[in-house]
């Protein structure tokens, strides 16, 4: 069966995917094509350059070594300009571009070992834009350009931002490319996750469901609303494609209460996701036909579960 791995976005929680791919390689599940959005596009591109257990091990090392300043530089004057409406972003994407240039295993997408698709959003039309050939760096930077945080990226005659708003979980694209079996590797799930910060001596447990309290800021409400829209679209994409392919959604640790802009929890999330996926695989079942929640579980009464939470719009 032609197998695709679909890697949605999730900012620094993309570390989870490094653990999930390791578990899949261990049981002999290998990708024939990779499709990524936002942080998932970075993981997809790396693995497309080395789609082996060795590549997965290196990906784990990369996530464990990343620091906030590599990708999210704090520049007070730029943040102030954004807050005052003098700029359309609050952070430069130069650090992200530099990090990608230093770590990408190839310079053109068609040079990957297996086909890879990078997803972005056309900010003018709202359409998903898929890149499968050409220079790798511009579409990858665009795919990770969180709206309002990083500037839009011009590629050709389009202005592009993060792929999440248009195709958060691009399962349909995988099926269009001939995938008969699709594994979705999320950047967060419902499994309890305990995280101890050795630098602060603080321990916390990310449980599910999250507390039913609204965000406290304008940006928080906007992000939650965008996240809810992406989850709704992803559910419909799963429901559509459950009849078109053998579809699996891997379980993942909960990230409730963790910062999507901190890498302090990367190693712990990698290991937790690795263990969770290893326990899941022996009894894994495809996503059933009919209404499902964001984890691919059936909803008995046909309504979307009220206990779910939208991911942060990263």
């Amino acid at each position: 069966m032609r197998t695709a791995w679909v890697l949605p976005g999730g900012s620094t929680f993309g570390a989870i995917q490094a653990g999930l791919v390791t578990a899949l390689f261990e049981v002999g599940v290998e990708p024939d094509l990779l499709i990524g959005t936002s942080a998932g596009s970075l993981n997809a591109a790396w693995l497309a350059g080395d789609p082996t257990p060795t590549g997965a091990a290196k990906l784990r090392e990369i996530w464990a070594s990343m620091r906030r300043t590599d990708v999210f530089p704090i520049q007070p004057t730029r943040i102030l300009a954004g807050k005052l409406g003098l700029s359309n972003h609050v952070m430069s994407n130069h650090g992200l571009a530099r990090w990608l240039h230093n770590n990408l295993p190839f310079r053109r997408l068609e040079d990957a070992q297996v086909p890879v698709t990078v997803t972005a959003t056309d900010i003018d039309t709202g359409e998903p834009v898929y890149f499968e050939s050409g220079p790798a760096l511009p579409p990858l930077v665009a795919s990770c350009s969180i709206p309002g945080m990083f500037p839009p990226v011009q590629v050709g005659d389009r202005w592009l931002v993060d792929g999440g708003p248009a195709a958060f979980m691009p399962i349909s694209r995988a099926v269009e490319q001939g995938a008969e079996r699709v594994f979705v590797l999320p950047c967060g799930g419902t499994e309890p996750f305990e995280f101890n910060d050795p630098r602060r001596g603080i321990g916390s447990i990310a449980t599910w469901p999250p507390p039913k309290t609204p965000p406290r800021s304008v940006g928080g409400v906007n992000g939650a609303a965008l996240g809810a829209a992406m989850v709704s679209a992803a559910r419909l994409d799963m429901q559509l494609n459950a009849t078109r392919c053998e579809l699996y959604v891997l379980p993942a640790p909960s990230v409730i209460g963790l910062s999507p802009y901190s890498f302090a929890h990367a190693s712990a999330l990698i290991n937790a996701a690795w263990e969770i996926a290893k326990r899941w695989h022996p009894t894994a079942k495809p996503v059933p036909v009919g209404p499902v929640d964001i984890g691919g579980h059936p909803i008995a009464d046909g309504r979307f579960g009220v206990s779910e939470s939208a991911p942060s719009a990263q």
Side-chain angles (χ1 to χ4, degrees), residues 53 93 100-101 190 210 222 251 271:
N93 59 15
L100 283 167
H101 178 78
T190 62
N222 288 338
N271 292 332

Side-chain angles (χ1 to χ4, degrees), residues 4-9 17 33-38 40-41 44 116-121 128-132 143 162-179 182-186 230 233-238 240-241 244-245 247 294:
W5 289 1
V6 171
L7 292 82
Q17 293 173 340
L33 62 153
L34 292 143
I35 304 175
T37 294
S38 195
S41 69
V116 60
T117 299
V118 175
T119 307
T121 298
V129 182
Y130 300 108
F131 293 90
E132 287 143 14
S143 183
D162 192 298
F168 173 63
M169 193 180 287
I171 302 168
S172 290
R173 186 65 176 182
V175 174
E176 290 167 3
Q177 292 180 309
V182 176
F183 289 85
V184 177
L185 288 67
M230 293 192 297
R235 287 163 161 168
L236 293 177
D237 210 15
M238 282 192 282
L240 168 66
N241 288 290
R244 304 169 66 195
C245 68
L247 177 62
I294 191 61

